[in-house]
Structure formats: C-alpha cells, structure tokens
Amino acid sequence: MTIYKAPLADQRFTLFDLLGAEAILTQLQGGAEHGRDLLDAVLEEAGKLAEQVLAPTNWPGDQEGCHYDKATHTVTTPKGFKEAFKAFAEGGWAGLTAREAFGGQALPGVLGIATTELFQSGNLSWSLYPLLSEGACHAMELHGTEAQQHTYLKPIVEGRWTGTMCLTEPQAGSDLGLLKTRAEPNADGSYAISGTKIFISAGEHDLAENIVHLVLARLPDAPAGSRGISMFIVPKFKVNADGSLGARNSAYAGAIEHKMGIKGSATCVMNFDGAEGFLIGQPHKGLAAMFTMMNAARLSVGVQGLALAERAYQNSLNYARERLQGRALSGAKFPDKPADNLLVQPDVRRMLLTQRAFVESSRALLYYTALQTDIEARGADEATRKAAGELVAFLIPIAKGVVTELAQECTKEALQVYGGHGFIGENGMEQFVRDARIITLYEGTTGIQAADLLGRKILQLQGVGFRRFAGEIGAFCKAHAGDAKLAAFIAPLGAAVKQWGELTLALAQRVQASPEELGAAATDYLWYSGYVTLAYFLARSVAAAEAGAQGDAFKQAKRDTATFYFARILPRTLVHKAAIEAGVATLPDIA
Ligand SMILES: Cc1cc2nc3c(=O)[nH]c(=O)nc-3n(C[C@H](O)[C@H](O)[C@H](O)COP(=O)(O)OP(=O)(O)OC[C@H]3O[C@@H](n4cnc5c(N)ncnc54)[C@H](O)[C@@H]3O)c2cc1C
C-alpha cells in the first residue's frame, strides 16, 4: 500500500557528518571497535529487516488487529507478526545494546535509536513488543539482583521472552501516586500481587514463550502517595530453577482495548490475582526505579514520531511527483503531459518542506540526545559524564514532547498532499495519522513533558541543562559568525537563543511569585524551546553538509530545508512567547 525505503543516507549524514559520532563513540570506554564500518553495516541490515519484513505487515496488521480469546485469555497478533519477531530475535536485534554479560552485543545506544527508527517506520504496532521489552530489560539491568538478571533478563535479550511495564490503573494515570495494586509477602520471600492494570502494551501475545511483567504495587506498610510504591517481577509462566517454564502464574489479560490506532499492538487489561511476584530494587522505591529508565523510554517514543513522519513524508513526496493535476501558476512545466505534477504547486511544496524540515531536524535532535546518553554512561571521566547527563535530562522532554506533537502535523500534511485519496484506507495515509495520535499520550502526555521541562529541568534543577545547551548554541553561532554560507541562519539563531534565555529568566521569576504561572506557560514554553532547538540542528546540518563530502544537490537540499524553516517555522516562537507572557490570568477558573 505504502512505500518505505530506509533513509540510510540521511541517517549516516546525521550520525557521522553532523554529530561526529564515530570520533565520539570510539573514544568512549569499551568503544574502540564502534567505528563507522561497523555502525554502517548494522544500519544497513536493520534497514533490510524494516523494508522487507516489517513494512509489508503494517497496513494488513492494522486491518486485522489483535484477537482476544476470552475462554483462554490469549491474544493472537496479526498475520506476519510472529515471523517478523522470529527474524528479529534470530538476527540478535533484541540484545543489540544490552550488556555482553547478559548475551547482548553492547553496541552504542545511538545505534539502538537509529535502528529503532527503522523498525518503527516499518511497523509501529509491531515495534512496541520489543520496545516494552527493552524498558523491562533496562529496569532489570539497573535494579535486579544477579539471579533475577540471569533468570528473567537473559531470555529477553536472547529474544525468547518479552517484557511489559505495568504502571497504569483506571484511577492512576499521570498521577501514579494513586495506584492501588497490592503486594502481600509470602512465607517463601515472594509476594502475592493483586490488582488491575489497564492499557498494558504487549501484556499478552503469541510472539514469545513467556512474558515478564514489571508491576508497580504497594506493600502492606507502604506510605500513601508516590513514595509508597515498589516494583515487582511477575512472570506469565513461573520459572523453574533450571530456567525452564513452570506453572501458569495468576496474571491474565482480561481484555484488549479497541483503539483508534496501533491496532496490531495488544493493549491489555491485566488482572493480577495473587500472582507470584518478586521485589526488584528497594521497597517503596519502585517509582524512582522506573524513573531511572524513563529517559530511554521517552526518547524511544520521540523516535516513534520521527519514524511515522519519515514514512508518511516518503509517501507524500512520491505521490506529489506522480499525481498530475492542474498547471503551474507561471505556465505548464510538463506541456507534453495532460497536466503538471503536484510538485509545481508552491502550496504542496510548503506541505512537503514542513515535513522534511521536521523529519531531518528531529532526527538530529534525537540522535544527539542518544549520543549524550552514551557519553553519560561511558564517558572518559566524571565531569564529561555529568555534563552529558545534564544535557540528556534537559532535552528528553523536548525530544519526546515536541517531536511527537510535530508527528501529528507531519502525518496530517502528508495525508493532505494526497487530497481525498489520503482519506481512503487502502492508500495507507490515514493509518499514519491514527497511529501517530497515541504517541503524545503514553509515556507521559505532552502536558506532563511540558511540566517536566519547566518545573523540574528549568526551575528545580536551576536550568543547568538549559545553560549548557544554550551555551553550545552560542558557541556554534560564534564559531560560524563570519561564515557567508551560514549568514542567513546564524543571526536569527543567535537572536532566538538570546530571547529564549530572557524568556526563561522572566518566567522563572513569575513562577516564584505565583506557582500557577508554571502550568499556564509550560506547554508554550515547551514549543518555544522545541522550535529553537530544531533551528539549531538545521543550522548545524547546513554547516556539516558544507564541510562534508556530499554532492551539491545534497548540500542545496540542506540549505533549502533550513531556509524554509527559518523563514516560515521559526517565527512560530513569537506566538508562543505571546502566550507565555499572557500568563495565567487569561486562563480563568471554569465553574
Ligand atoms: C495505547 C496505549 C498504550 C499504553 N501502554 C502502557 C503501558 O504499556 N504501560 C502502562 O503502564 N501504561 C500504558 N499506557 C497508559 C498511558 O501511559 C497513560 O494513558 C498516560 O500516562 C496518561 O494517563 P491517563 O490516560 O490516565 O490521563 P490523565 O492522567 O487522566 O490525563 C488527562 C489529561 O490531563 C492532563 N494532566 C494530568 N495531570 C496533569 C498535570 N499534573 N499537569 C498538566 N497536565 C496534566 C494530561 O496531560 C492529559 O491531557 C498506555 C496507554 C495507551 C492509550
């Protein structure tokens, strides 16, 4: 129905030319072998899996959806999902970035993000099964005992089992402090877990032999609120001492949701009825433990925005090239044909360039953030690791919040390029719009990302990450001040980053005087920050293209994209500035 070609050229440009990933990664602890050849080869293989195995299952999987059998509490995934998961597991993709001690390949996180982009473009619904596993693996890597890691983590890394993250309950969404699931100690040191979780991705399916649920629950003596939550491992099948599967645990899917999109992803109601579970990490510290892996999960959801936007863009560009309709305003461009193609229309080019600008700048932001996570984990010294960690903390809400919101605009514009044909199911565009809608909601809504950025990263942490990032942009502007090829971008970027600083300072003062100002400004502040951040990466991409070995057409395309963005998108910051300054007084109480 739709096409998909792995965007390897732009991925490579972003990794190696724009971000200098090879020089950075090979200097990191354990990174001597992470040179360009290796990364290139892995990307290429991931591209094949995405194009040949995953992409063809995307639309049929949406049409078929998942099936739930009430009698057996089992879920059947759409045709082709099982085979794709088998190919994924056999290719070693489940353990790409996991530690070697657990059977992983310990490859850089940024490569994991780049390959994830490809798999998510191929089939977003399918990609949620390995994504949730990755989250569970991170949690067990960081907080599990050696025995827990051996028993539950290794089979996931080997691609034999999958994992879930069971947080949400009917009354506890953004506010997990409200959760009620209980954990009663058993005599043998295990716990009996009882409660209902909703919206659990990959809670039940037929892709793997076993499912390891990571469940947030309360111990009997737990204090109320978010400080009284502990984390438990609850396997679908209990595991015998030799690692073989034992009895069925009392953790069953009670239903699957009928959703607007990602229909191939099983979103389950999970009933835990005295299920056997094991405490992971410290009692009452479960939420904090979940937060240690939240950055990785949020970054991956940001990548979902990029992945959908990329595939939607490819299709709309292709369609605009082939669809003949009307004539150019200045006279026929293809007089030998019955009509010109859509590309001759400036308004169609506007829609395409909007997508291209967001796709390419989002890719740079996401890969940059992922590279910082590698430096944070394996940088040469403490100061380097700390600095990278501050950048990650600051950029995550932008990478998740803004990129997922922009995916709404990109998929909408991509559909619009098709005209009425975009509204028709078989053409595949409406699926991108529907699938994209979830990504601004799960893993923290946009409102929660905005509150995190302004409340925690700017105010609580006193803007340490902001100052570091704004300083980096300032240094970039200074370094290219005399560069004629960048003249059109450096002055507006410098002005925008200066205004960003002033706005941040003024806002911090207002919030101190009245805390309600935080909530009133947060989302507009998120948008403002996003538009300036993406402008920086587009200006950097022009500089990198000019310095690189790419051909003239590639360089011109990068310049065109940045020119479009600086003239037509960056001014959106002014609207958000006005909204921020309007303050809470313009959001009166609603009776
Ligand atoms: C398809 C799907 C898959 C999911 N997968 C999983 C999963 O695998 N595991 C899991 O545990 N959960 C999962 N979720 C749950 C998801 O993470 C929650 O839906 C999400 O966290 C929001 O919670 P809520 O739906 O209760 O919305 P609410 O928390 O009720 O929020 C409603 C609205 O109020 C706003 N709001 C709430 N609080 C604040 C605040 N403090 N400041 C500003 N605005 C606020 C929100 O931004 C939102 O717009 C999934 C959900 C869906 C739909």
Side-chain angles (χ1 to χ4, degrees):
M1 294 300 110
T2 53
I3 56 160
Y4 178 63
K5 187 98 191 74
L8 296 177
D10 200 61
Q11 288 188 303
R12 287 177 176 137
F13 168 77
T14 306
L15 280 173
F16 302 117
D17 298 87
L18 177 55
L19 300 176
E22 182 174 41
I24 294 172
L25 292 172
T26 50
Q27 296 300 314
L28 298 182
Q29 294 170 27
E33 286 170 16
H34 298 162
R36 180 169 182 153
D37 288 350
L38 175 67
L39 269 57
D40 255 349
V42 173
L43 262 187
E44 206 163 307
E45 285 308 310
K48 284 184 201 157
L49 185 67
E51 286 173 3
Q52 296 166 16
V53 180
L54 294 171
T57 63
N58 193 47
W59 194 69
D62 175 69
Q63 297 303 293
E64 186 186 340
C66 290
H67 304 281
Y68 174 71
D69 181 347
K70 210 171 166 183
T72 57
H73 304 284
T74 53
V75 171
T76 310
T77 55
K79 200 163 158 277
F81 275 39
K82 236 172 151 167
E83 292 74 11
F85 194 80
K86 190 161 177 278
F88 176 84
E90 286 173 0
W93 296 104
L96 192 74
T97 58
R99 293 222 299 265
E100 280 162 324
F102 310 131
Q105 301 178 57
L107 284 164
V110 67
L111 183 64
I113 283 296
T115 55
T116 297
E117 179 202 322
L118 295 165
F119 301 149
Q120 291 177 339
S121 284
N123 186 332
L124 181 65
S125 288
W126 178 90
S127 75
L128 278 161
Y129 297 94
L131 186 71
L132 270 297
S133 297
E134 213 179 297
C137 283
H138 273 139
M140 287 191 278
E141 249 187 84
L142 291 169
H143 306 287
T145 62
E146 212 171 298
Q148 287 173 337
Q149 290 168 344
H150 183 79
T151 307
Y152 299 105
L153 197 162
K154 231 166 153 268
I156 301 181
V157 169
E158 288 164 3
R160 293 190 289 118
W161 300 359
T162 63
T164 72
M165 311 295 296
C166 299
L167 287 65
T168 307
E169 297 179 8
Q171 78 295 347
S174 304
D175 185 358
L176 290 169
L178 298 172
L179 71 81
K180 290 182 181 162
T181 296
R182 285 171 295 111
E184 301 282 346
N186 293 324
D188 63 359
S190 67
Y191 292 83
I193 312 292
S194 301
T196 297
K197 298 284 178 181
I198 60 164
F199 298 163
I200 303 307
S201 301
E204 176 60 38
H205 58 77
D206 57 356
L207 303 182
E209 301 160 18
N210 201 5
I211 302 174
V212 181
H213 304 289
L214 288 192
V215 183
L216 291 186
R218 284 183 191 286
L219 290 165
D221 61 342
S226 57
R227 278 157 210 251
I229 296 169
S230 307
M231 180 158 55
F232 297 86
I233 293 175
V234 184
K236 172 179 168 183
F237 286 101
K238 297 180 189 176
V239 185
N240 298 321
D242 65 356
S244 61
L245 297 187
R248 182 73 166 84
N249 206 353
S250 188
Y252 289 101
I256 56 172
E257 303 295 349
H258 302 282
K259 311 191 293 290
M260 175 180 179
I262 55 163
K263 289 173 186 275
S265 167
T267 308
C268 303
V269 174
M270 293 300 302
N271 296 321
F272 298 90
D273 188 9
E276 183 178 79
F278 305 94
L279 181 71
I280 168 167
Q282 300 299 311
H284 312 319
K285 301 272 192 251
L287 205 54
M290 277 285 178
F291 270 99
T292 54
M293 30 150 299
M294 209 70 100
N295 279 347
R298 290 184 169 172
L299 189 61
S300 296
V301 175
V303 177
Q304 295 182 350
L306 164 65
L308 284 172
E310 166 70 42
R311 187 160 178 186
Y313 169 60
Q314 287 188 17
N315 282 277
S316 62
L317 176 62
N318 196 46
Y319 188 80
R321 267 201 201 105
E322 289 176 359
R323 173 76 170 164
L324 304 183
Q325 206 66 197
R327 290 289 182 197
L329 296 168
S330 52
K333 289 270 167 47
F334 300 96
D336 52 327
K337 297 206 166 142
D340 290 341
N341 70 17
L342 294 179
L343 285 177
V344 307
Q345 305 298 337
D347 192 54
V348 173
R349 296 202 295 276
R350 174 190 60 76
M351 293 190 272
L352 292 168
L353 280 160
T354 301
Q355 297 174 63
R356 188 164 95 187
F358 288 145
V359 164
E360 294 180 4
S361 56
S362 296
R363 180 172 289 124
L365 163 63
L366 293 161
Y367 289 14
Y368 172 92
T369 310
L371 199 53
Q372 297 302 323
T373 66
D374 284 318
I375 301 171
E376 182 185 11
R378 297 184 291 113
D381 54 71
E382 178 59 31
T384 309
R385 292 195 292 272
K386 183 167 171 283
E390 287 166 0
L391 279 172
V392 172
F394 174 67
L395 289 173
I396 287 289
I398 302 175
K400 198 282 181 183
V402 174
V403 175
T404 58
E405 287 287 347
L406 290 176
Q408 314 305 312
E409 183 173 348
C410 288
T411 50
K412 181 204 82 153
E413 294 291 23
L415 183 151
Q416 192 74 13
V417 169
Y418 274 65
H421 300 268
F423 200 65
I424 306 304
E426 294 95 286
N427 293 324
M429 302 307 285
E430 53 87 42
Q431 186 194 347
F432 298 138
V433 174
R434 286 186 289 106
D435 283 356
R437 200 58 197 84
I438 184 59
I439 62 180
T440 67
L441 301 169
Y442 59 25
E443 209 49 68
T445 60
T446 306
I448 294 299
Q449 305 303 323
D452 179 45
L453 178 68
L454 186 56
R456 193 170 144 66
K457 306 303 166 51
I458 295 289
L459 298 172
Q460 253 184 48
L461 300 178
Q462 288 156 356
V464 58
F466 168 76
R467 285 200 303 277
R468 201 171 278 290
F469 189 61
E472 183 180 312
I473 301 179
F476 171 80
C477 290
K478 209 166 161 194
H480 291 276
D483 187 341
K485 290 196 167 133
L486 268 95
F489 313 118
I490 294 302
L493 180 61
V497 78
K498 183 167 172 283
Q499 189 179 67
W500 193 13
E502 291 161 359
L503 201 58
T504 305
L505 204 62
L507 191 50
Q509 284 163 358
R510 281 227 315 275
V511 173
Q512 260 180 1
S514 159
E516 287 281 311
E517 293 288 351
L518 191 157
T523 294
D524 284 288
Y525 183 79
L526 177 76
W527 277 114
Y528 187 102
S529 305
Y531 285 127
V532 179
T533 299
L534 298 181
Y536 166 56
F537 285 110
L538 285 173
R540 257 184 87 169
S541 70
V542 175
E546 290 300 337
Q550 285 82 10
D552 287 344
F554 188 93
K555 290 178 197 208
Q556 186 62 45
K558 288 290 173 197
R559 256 198 313 275
D560 289 346
T561 308
T563 302
F564 167 82
Y565 183 94
F566 273 75
R568 285 175 167 258
I569 305 282
L570 188 58
R572 292 183 188 181
T573 50
L574 301 179
V575 174
H576 294 294
K577 178 172 177 283
I580 291 167
E581 289 169 349
V584 74
T586 53
L587 300 169
D589 287 346
I590 299 177

